Amino acid sequence: MVTVRVPATTANLGPGFDTFGCALSLYNTLTFSETDGDLRFSGCEAAYCNADNLSVVAYRRVMEALGLPMPGLDITMDTQIPICRGLGSSASLIAAGAAAANALHGSPYSPLELLGICNAIEGHPDNLAPALLGGLVASFVEDGRPFAARYDVHPGLHFTALIPDFELSTHAARRVLPKEVPYGDAVFNVSRAAVLLKALEQGDKELLRVSLDDRLHQPYRRSLIPGYEQVRALALDCGALAFCISGAGPTLLCLSMEDGFDAALARHLHELPQRWTQLPLPVDHTGVQVTLS
């Protein structure tokens, strides 16, 4: 039996479209036992209790890489990461299944190698890389092989997620994106992405205020998030340094360095349209954690 804990992730981080991701302290915990029978699930919605469950898909990918047959599985799931909210719920299941198969068969693969085996399931590594590695990660894929680099985050920098009571599928969020972008918008994002990594490392307030801006995805996706402009205005009024869509949305992410920010935001949250859950989420620096028993 193996228990795997995987952090939530926030991807894109403004200009880092499909490239930047950061692990956050909100977790899905899955326990796997190999059996001679079929798949059995506990703690999972009926619609996902099948071989298409992403944890099972990832488990199978690792077994194939090992040259071993796919066993039956008993899977118990304790999922705290909300589905279709832009916090890496899919990546967390992929990471869990891959790490479980690896651990139950001698741990021959490193987290980076597991990323290489399973990245094709999602197609881009911006959520899966930090889920496996922890911390702030920049990643890309070259000839089918993912590459990743970890960066430091200033300890005084706070992440606060605002999670709405409605879902937004990644497919719908991608459908609104243009197939081509102006050259100037590409340069705008490259320049800010390069500066953002240093701003996050140093906790540079001025740089954070300007470098989290984006022209590749957020201008198109914010119309899919009811209340976006009101939430942004409130967050900035309460002292947020910067504000962005988490992943494909609809969760919105506030970055702050003031101790009173979360309390100030909480006092006014009821004024917003829709219903929003406020979650301060420290950076998770560990990534996937595995416990054999």
Side-chain angles (χ1 to χ4, degrees), residues 222-245:
R222 61 192 180 199
S223 63
L224 302 177
I225 305 173
Y228 173 90
E229 294 297 344
Q230 295 95 321
V231 176
R232 180 179 183 274
L234 176 60
L236 296 178
D237 284 346
C238 290
L241 288 172
F243 180 88
C244 64
I245 298 173

Side-chain angles (χ1 to χ4, degrees), residues 6 8 17 44 60 106 117 150 153 158 166 229 286:
V6 188
F17 179 62
C44 179
R60 183 180 296 111
I117 292 169
R150 295 183 78 236
V153 178
H158 305 297
F166 55 87
E229 294 297 344
T286 305

Side-chain angles (χ1 to χ4, degrees), residues 137-221:
V137 183
S139 56
F140 63 90
V141 177
E142 179 76 19
D143 295 329
R145 177 187 171 192
F147 292 81
R150 295 183 78 236
Y151 292 84
D152 293 330
V153 178
H154 192 277
L157 189 60
H158 305 297
F159 292 78
T160 301
L162 289 171
I163 307 169
D165 60 354
F166 55 87
E167 297 182 357
L168 175 59
S169 73
T170 301
H171 177 72
R174 285 199 174 269
R175 196 167 55 233
V176 300
L177 300 181
K179 299 196 181 304
E180 296 182 352
V181 297
Y183 185 85
D185 288 352
V187 173
F188 181 97
N189 268 57
V190 169
S191 60
R192 279 150 183 80
V195 171
L196 176 60
L197 292 171
K198 182 58 72 173
L200 290 167
E201 176 187 324
Q202 295 183 336
D204 188 310
K205 295 182 180 180
E206 183 178 5
L207 287 181
L208 283 169
R209 286 191 180 97
V210 297
S211 62
L212 212 70
D213 205 356
D214 158 79
R215 291 184 181 173
L216 296 187
H217 70 106
Q218 294 188 124
Y220 308 98
R221 287 174 165 169

Side-chain angles (χ1 to χ4, degrees), residues 19-207:
T19 302
F20 294 170
C22 189
L24 302 173
S25 297
L26 180 68
Y27 301 95
N28 281 349
T29 303
L30 283 74
T31 299
F32 298 78
S33 297
E34 292 191 353
T35 73
D36 294 329
D38 296 324
L39 292 172
R40 290 201 298 263
F41 293 85
S42 176
C44 179
E45 293 183 25
Y48 303 106
C49 294
N50 53 57
D52 292 329
N53 186 294
L54 289 174
S55 68
V56 177
V57 173
Y59 201 105
R60 183 180 296 111
R61 290 287 178 94
V62 174
M63 296 300 289
E64 291 171 353
L66 291 169
L68 296 173
M70 181 67 180
L73 292 172
D74 280 351
I75 305 174
T76 300
M77 304 175 67
D78 176 8
T79 54
Q80 303 301 313
I81 304 171
I83 296 172
C84 293
R85 295 299 202 283
L87 287 169
S89 61
S90 296
S92 74
L93 298 181
I94 295 169
N102 188 51
L104 286 173
H105 294 276
S107 298
Y109 298 119
S110 69
L112 192 58
E113 289 170 327
L114 291 177
L115 177 63
I117 292 169
C118 294
N119 181 66
I121 298 172
E122 281 207 309
H124 45 89
D126 53 339
N127 278 303
L128 188 54
L132 287 165
L133 301 172
L136 173 64
V137 183
S139 56
F140 63 90
V141 177
E142 179 76 19
D143 295 329
R145 177 187 171 192
F147 292 81
R150 295 183 78 236
Y151 292 84
D152 293 330
V153 178
H154 192 277
L157 189 60
H158 305 297
F159 292 78
T160 301
L162 289 171
I163 307 169
D165 60 354
F166 55 87
E167 297 182 357
L168 175 59
S169 73
T170 301
H171 177 72
R174 285 199 174 269
R175 196 167 55 233
V176 300
L177 300 181
K179 299 196 181 304
E180 296 182 352
V181 297
Y183 185 85
D185 288 352
V187 173
F188 181 97
N189 268 57
V190 169
S191 60
R192 279 150 183 80
V195 171
L196 176 60
L197 292 171
K198 182 58 72 173
L200 290 167
E201 176 187 324
Q202 295 183 336
D204 188 310
K205 295 182 180 180
E206 183 178 5
L207 287 181

